[in-house]
Amino acid sequence: MTQIIEKGTALFPPELIPGMVNLVKGESSIASLAQTEPIAFTGRKEFTFTMDSEVDIVAESGAKTNGGVTITPVTVVPIKFEYGTRITDEFLSADEDFQLGILQSFVEGFGRKLARGLDIAAFHGLNPRTGAASAVVGSNSFDTGVTQKVIATANPDADMDTAIMLIESQEGNVSGAAFSPGFRSALATKTDSTGRRLYPELAWGQTVGSINGLPVTANPTVSFGESLDLAILGDFESAFRWGYAKEMTLEVIPYGNPDNDKTLGDLKGHNQVYLRSEAYIGWGILVPEWFARIQTEEEK
């Protein structure tokens, strides 16, 4: 662990990285529904390839015609997520077991916040800390890019069917869905004519895995802040990409004012050090029409 506190910066020790990645996958709806691939810091360009026509039947000696293809690029550029906090500089003189315990806890906490932040940014285009629209994310979010919407009724089952029909009308498939707690509850309380629950797997806050064979997650990030979203569903397997840059850093900063806090001032002057973790994550919605959102009401 000595290298972590030397020169202020070091890569995560190898034993910490798997724990962090696992936490991201376990706490993020996006990470649960969509496969991830490493992305270079310079970004990664994905292409959607579409054949514009159907196949042609040609008579013997008949003339062939051009069917045409459309290739659309989508650039997935990682953006920086960070979290930092001040701790006493006694950390620097503590034994290695104590340091490892502090860093392990910090990394686990950062992993959970990072997972939540990925959903909030990709679903809604918001800065997770401020809850305001992020200029860095821009229009690269489901709330901005996905225009197919269903206004919720008293029948969440029917709302799901309507949303699926919208996607299928664009020749898309539905590989997964992310539910808000409210939508999950609405489905969980549905019963048949005998009073038996239609979806017992949703009852009492159980971890959702799948419903009717469809992979499903339930997460407060779906309805974060002032979002009207109740559910987001679509082809997360084929029409969405996300990934992280390989190098995730942990810094132990022993001096300066890294959090720009005028009240707390210089670290050295207050016997403090600063822990900071950063990660670079990128995502892209390749085919927006292969997704739909179920909302509480029409957006203004």
Side-chain angles (χ1 to χ4, degrees), residues 55-91:
V55 295
D56 193 15
I57 296 177
V58 182
E60 187 175 353
S61 301
K64 301 179 180 67
T65 60
N66 180 19
V69 297
T70 299
I71 300 176
T72 305
V74 176
T75 302
V76 180
V77 178
I79 61 177
K80 182 190 293 186
F81 290 77
E82 71 87 25
Y83 196 96
T85 189
R86 294 178 179 231
I87 63 173
T88 174
D89 64 1
E90 293 177 0
F91 167 83

Short mmCIF file of all heavy atoms in Angstrom, two decimals, residues 55-91:
data_model
loop_
_atom_site.label_atom_id
_atom_site.label_comp_id
_atom_site.label_asym_id
_atom_site.label_seq_id
_atom_site.Cartn_x
_atom_site.Cartn_y
_atom_site.Cartn_z
N VAL A 55 -34.87 -7.79 -49.62
CA VAL A 55 -34.18 -8.51 -50.70
C VAL A 55 -35.05 -8.50 -51.95
O VAL A 55 -36.28 -8.35 -51.88
CB VAL A 55 -33.86 -9.96 -50.29
CG1 VAL A 55 -32.88 -9.97 -49.14
CG2 VAL A 55 -35.13 -10.72 -49.92
N ASP A 56 -34.42 -8.62 -53.10
CA ASP A 56 -35.11 -8.50 -54.38
C ASP A 56 -35.13 -9.86 -55.08
O ASP A 56 -34.15 -10.60 -55.05
CB ASP A 56 -34.37 -7.48 -55.25
CG ASP A 56 -35.17 -7.06 -56.46
OD1 ASP A 56 -36.39 -7.33 -56.49
OD2 ASP A 56 -34.57 -6.48 -57.39
N ILE A 57 -36.27 -10.19 -55.67
CA ILE A 57 -36.36 -11.38 -56.50
C ILE A 57 -36.11 -10.96 -57.94
O ILE A 57 -36.78 -10.04 -58.46
CB ILE A 57 -37.75 -12.05 -56.38
CG1 ILE A 57 -37.94 -12.55 -54.94
CG2 ILE A 57 -37.88 -13.20 -57.37
CD1 ILE A 57 -39.29 -13.16 -54.68
N VAL A 58 -35.15 -11.60 -58.57
CA VAL A 58 -34.75 -11.20 -59.92
C VAL A 58 -34.97 -12.36 -60.89
O VAL A 58 -34.56 -13.51 -60.62
CB VAL A 58 -33.26 -10.78 -59.95
CG1 VAL A 58 -32.86 -10.32 -61.34
CG2 VAL A 58 -33.01 -9.68 -58.92
N ALA A 59 -35.63 -12.07 -61.97
CA ALA A 59 -35.86 -13.10 -63.00
C ALA A 59 -34.56 -13.44 -63.70
O ALA A 59 -33.59 -12.68 -63.66
CB ALA A 59 -36.89 -12.59 -64.02
N GLU A 60 -34.54 -14.59 -64.34
CA GLU A 60 -33.36 -14.97 -65.11
C GLU A 60 -33.06 -13.91 -66.17
O GLU A 60 -33.95 -13.49 -66.90
CB GLU A 60 -33.59 -16.34 -65.77
CG GLU A 60 -32.35 -16.87 -66.45
CD GLU A 60 -32.56 -18.27 -67.00
OE1 GLU A 60 -33.62 -18.86 -66.72
OE2 GLU A 60 -31.65 -18.76 -67.69
N SER A 61 -31.83 -13.45 -66.18
CA SER A 61 -31.39 -12.37 -67.06
C SER A 61 -32.02 -11.03 -66.70
O SER A 61 -31.93 -10.07 -67.47
CB SER A 61 -31.68 -12.69 -68.55
OG SER A 61 -31.03 -13.88 -68.94
N GLY A 62 -32.70 -10.96 -65.57
CA GLY A 62 -33.34 -9.71 -65.17
C GLY A 62 -32.34 -8.71 -64.60
O GLY A 62 -31.25 -9.08 -64.15
N ALA A 63 -32.71 -7.45 -64.60
CA ALA A 63 -31.85 -6.39 -64.10
C ALA A 63 -31.90 -6.34 -62.58
O ALA A 63 -32.95 -6.48 -61.97
CB ALA A 63 -32.28 -5.04 -64.69
N LYS A 64 -30.75 -6.14 -61.99
CA LYS A 64 -30.65 -6.02 -60.53
C LYS A 64 -30.67 -4.54 -60.15
O LYS A 64 -30.18 -3.69 -60.90
CB LYS A 64 -29.37 -6.68 -60.02
CG LYS A 64 -29.25 -8.15 -60.36
CD LYS A 64 -27.94 -8.71 -59.85
CE LYS A 64 -27.82 -10.18 -60.19
NZ LYS A 64 -27.69 -10.43 -61.64
N THR A 65 -31.23 -4.24 -58.97
CA THR A 65 -31.30 -2.84 -58.51
C THR A 65 -30.58 -2.70 -57.18
O THR A 65 -30.34 -3.69 -56.47
CB THR A 65 -32.76 -2.39 -58.35
OG1 THR A 65 -33.41 -3.24 -57.40
CG2 THR A 65 -33.50 -2.44 -59.68
N ASN A 66 -30.27 -1.49 -56.87
CA ASN A 66 -29.54 -1.19 -55.63
C ASN A 66 -30.49 -1.14 -54.43
O ASN A 66 -31.47 -0.39 -54.44
CB ASN A 66 -28.82 0.16 -55.79
CG ASN A 66 -28.03 0.53 -54.54
OD1 ASN A 66 -27.73 -0.31 -53.72
ND2 ASN A 66 -27.71 1.81 -54.42
N GLY A 67 -30.20 -1.96 -53.43
CA GLY A 67 -31.02 -1.94 -52.23
C GLY A 67 -30.67 -0.78 -51.31
O GLY A 67 -31.52 -0.18 -50.68
N GLY A 68 -29.38 -0.46 -51.22
CA GLY A 68 -28.93 0.67 -50.41
C GLY A 68 -28.69 0.30 -48.95
O GLY A 68 -29.36 -0.58 -48.40
N VAL A 69 -27.73 0.93 -48.37
CA VAL A 69 -27.44 0.77 -46.94
C VAL A 69 -27.25 2.14 -46.32
O VAL A 69 -26.88 3.11 -46.99
CB VAL A 69 -26.18 -0.09 -46.68
CG1 VAL A 69 -26.36 -1.50 -47.21
CG2 VAL A 69 -24.95 0.57 -47.27
N THR A 70 -27.53 2.20 -45.03
CA THR A 70 -27.31 3.43 -44.27
C THR A 70 -26.39 3.09 -43.11
O THR A 70 -26.68 2.17 -42.32
CB THR A 70 -28.63 4.01 -43.73
OG1 THR A 70 -29.48 4.34 -44.84
CG2 THR A 70 -28.37 5.27 -42.92
N ILE A 71 -25.31 3.82 -42.98
CA ILE A 71 -24.37 3.63 -41.87
C ILE A 71 -24.35 4.92 -41.06
O ILE A 71 -24.05 5.99 -41.59
CB ILE A 71 -22.96 3.29 -42.38
CG1 ILE A 71 -23.00 1.99 -43.19
CG2 ILE A 71 -21.99 3.16 -41.22
CD1 ILE A 71 -21.66 1.64 -43.81
N THR A 72 -24.69 4.80 -39.79
CA THR A 72 -24.76 5.97 -38.92
C THR A 72 -23.76 5.83 -37.78
O THR A 72 -23.80 4.84 -37.04
CB THR A 72 -26.17 6.13 -38.33
OG1 THR A 72 -27.12 6.17 -39.40
CG2 THR A 72 -26.27 7.41 -37.50
N PRO A 73 -22.84 6.78 -37.63
CA PRO A 73 -21.86 6.70 -36.54
C PRO A 73 -22.39 7.31 -35.24
O PRO A 73 -23.11 8.31 -35.25
CB PRO A 73 -20.68 7.52 -37.08
CG PRO A 73 -21.33 8.54 -37.95
CD PRO A 73 -22.56 7.90 -38.54
N VAL A 74 -22.04 6.69 -34.14
CA VAL A 74 -22.31 7.24 -32.80
C VAL A 74 -21.01 7.17 -32.02
O VAL A 74 -20.44 6.09 -31.86
CB VAL A 74 -23.41 6.45 -32.07
CG1 VAL A 74 -23.58 6.99 -30.65
CG2 VAL A 74 -24.73 6.51 -32.83
N THR A 75 -20.53 8.31 -31.56
CA THR A 75 -19.26 8.35 -30.83
C THR A 75 -19.52 8.26 -29.34
O THR A 75 -20.29 9.06 -28.78
CB THR A 75 -18.48 9.64 -31.15
OG1 THR A 75 -18.25 9.70 -32.55
CG2 THR A 75 -17.15 9.64 -30.43
N VAL A 76 -18.92 7.28 -28.71
CA VAL A 76 -19.03 7.09 -27.26
C VAL A 76 -17.76 7.65 -26.63
O VAL A 76 -16.68 7.08 -26.79
CB VAL A 76 -19.20 5.60 -26.91
CG1 VAL A 76 -19.31 5.42 -25.40
CG2 VAL A 76 -20.43 5.03 -27.61
N VAL A 77 -17.88 8.77 -25.95
CA VAL A 77 -16.74 9.44 -25.35
C VAL A 77 -16.85 9.38 -23.83
O VAL A 77 -17.87 9.79 -23.27
CB VAL A 77 -16.65 10.91 -25.81
CG1 VAL A 77 -15.48 11.61 -25.14
CG2 VAL A 77 -16.52 11.00 -27.32
N PRO A 78 -15.85 8.85 -23.15
CA PRO A 78 -15.93 8.79 -21.69
C PRO A 78 -15.86 10.16 -21.06
O PRO A 78 -15.15 11.04 -21.54
CB PRO A 78 -14.72 7.93 -21.30
CG PRO A 78 -13.78 8.06 -22.44
CD PRO A 78 -14.61 8.25 -23.67
N ILE A 79 -16.63 10.36 -20.01
CA ILE A 79 -16.59 11.60 -19.25
C ILE A 79 -16.17 11.28 -17.82
O ILE A 79 -16.31 10.14 -17.35
CB ILE A 79 -17.95 12.32 -19.27
CG1 ILE A 79 -19.05 11.46 -18.65
CG2 ILE A 79 -18.32 12.70 -20.69
CD1 ILE A 79 -20.39 12.16 -18.57
N LYS A 80 -15.65 12.28 -17.14
CA LYS A 80 -15.06 12.05 -15.82
C LYS A 80 -16.11 12.14 -14.71
O LYS A 80 -16.89 13.08 -14.64
CB LYS A 80 -13.97 13.08 -15.56
CG LYS A 80 -13.25 12.88 -14.21
CD LYS A 80 -12.34 14.05 -13.87
CE LYS A 80 -11.17 14.14 -14.83
NZ LYS A 80 -10.21 15.19 -14.42
N PHE A 81 -16.10 11.13 -13.84
CA PHE A 81 -16.86 11.14 -12.60
C PHE A 81 -15.84 11.15 -11.46
O PHE A 81 -14.86 10.40 -11.50
CB PHE A 81 -17.73 9.89 -12.47
CG PHE A 81 -18.88 9.83 -13.44
CD1 PHE A 81 -18.69 9.50 -14.77
CD2 PHE A 81 -20.17 10.11 -13.01
CE1 PHE A 81 -19.74 9.43 -15.66
CE2 PHE A 81 -21.24 10.05 -13.88
CZ PHE A 81 -21.03 9.72 -15.22
N GLU A 82 -16.06 11.97 -10.46
CA GLU A 82 -15.10 12.02 -9.36
C GLU A 82 -15.81 12.15 -8.02
O GLU A 82 -16.95 12.61 -7.93
CB GLU A 82 -14.11 13.17 -9.54
CG GLU A 82 -14.67 14.57 -9.34
CD GLU A 82 -14.66 15.05 -7.89
OE1 GLU A 82 -13.83 14.56 -7.10
OE2 GLU A 82 -15.49 15.91 -7.55
N TYR A 83 -15.10 11.72 -6.98
CA TYR A 83 -15.58 11.87 -5.61
C TYR A 83 -14.38 12.06 -4.71
O TYR A 83 -13.37 11.36 -4.85
CB TYR A 83 -16.37 10.65 -5.16
CG TYR A 83 -17.21 10.91 -3.92
CD1 TYR A 83 -18.55 11.24 -4.03
CD2 TYR A 83 -16.65 10.84 -2.65
CE1 TYR A 83 -19.31 11.48 -2.91
CE2 TYR A 83 -17.39 11.10 -1.53
CZ TYR A 83 -18.73 11.42 -1.65
OH TYR A 83 -19.48 11.68 -0.54
N GLY A 84 -14.47 13.01 -3.80
CA GLY A 84 -13.35 13.26 -2.89
C GLY A 84 -13.81 13.67 -1.51
O GLY A 84 -14.95 14.12 -1.33
N THR A 85 -12.94 13.49 -0.53
CA THR A 85 -13.25 13.90 0.83
C THR A 85 -11.97 14.13 1.61
O THR A 85 -10.91 13.58 1.29
CB THR A 85 -14.10 12.82 1.54
OG1 THR A 85 -14.57 13.34 2.79
CG2 THR A 85 -13.29 11.56 1.81
N ARG A 86 -12.05 14.97 2.64
CA ARG A 86 -10.91 15.24 3.51
C ARG A 86 -10.91 14.28 4.69
O ARG A 86 -11.96 13.95 5.24
CB ARG A 86 -10.98 16.66 4.04
CG ARG A 86 -10.82 17.73 2.96
CD ARG A 86 -10.96 19.12 3.53
NE ARG A 86 -10.79 20.14 2.49
CZ ARG A 86 -9.96 21.17 2.58
NH1 ARG A 86 -9.24 21.36 3.68
NH2 ARG A 86 -9.88 22.06 1.60
N ILE A 87 -9.69 13.84 5.09
CA ILE A 87 -9.53 13.05 6.30
C ILE A 87 -8.27 13.55 7.02
O ILE A 87 -7.46 14.28 6.45
CB ILE A 87 -9.39 11.54 6.01
CG1 ILE A 87 -8.13 11.26 5.17
CG2 ILE A 87 -10.63 11.01 5.31
CD1 ILE A 87 -7.86 9.76 5.01
N THR A 88 -8.12 13.17 8.27
CA THR A 88 -6.96 13.59 9.03
C THR A 88 -5.67 13.04 8.44
O THR A 88 -5.64 11.93 7.90
CB THR A 88 -7.07 13.14 10.49
OG1 THR A 88 -5.85 13.45 11.19
CG2 THR A 88 -7.30 11.64 10.60
N ASP A 89 -4.59 13.82 8.56
CA ASP A 89 -3.31 13.35 8.00
C ASP A 89 -2.67 12.27 8.87
O ASP A 89 -1.60 11.76 8.52
CB ASP A 89 -2.35 14.52 7.78
CG ASP A 89 -1.94 15.21 9.07
OD1 ASP A 89 -2.39 14.78 10.16
OD2 ASP A 89 -1.18 16.19 8.99
N GLU A 90 -3.31 11.90 9.98
CA GLU A 90 -2.82 10.75 10.75
C GLU A 90 -2.89 9.48 9.91
O GLU A 90 -2.21 8.49 10.20
CB GLU A 90 -3.65 10.59 12.02
CG GLU A 90 -3.47 11.72 13.03
CD GLU A 90 -4.36 11.56 14.23
OE1 GLU A 90 -5.13 10.57 14.27
OE2 GLU A 90 -4.30 12.43 15.12
N PHE A 91 -3.72 9.52 8.88
CA PHE A 91 -3.82 8.40 7.95
C PHE A 91 -2.46 8.05 7.35
O PHE A 91 -2.14 6.88 7.15
CB PHE A 91 -4.80 8.79 6.83
CG PHE A 91 -4.78 7.88 5.64
CD1 PHE A 91 -5.50 6.70 5.63
CD2 PHE A 91 -4.04 8.21 4.51
CE1 PHE A 91 -5.48 5.87 4.53
CE2 PHE A 91 -4.01 7.37 3.41
CZ PHE A 91 -4.73 6.20 3.41
#
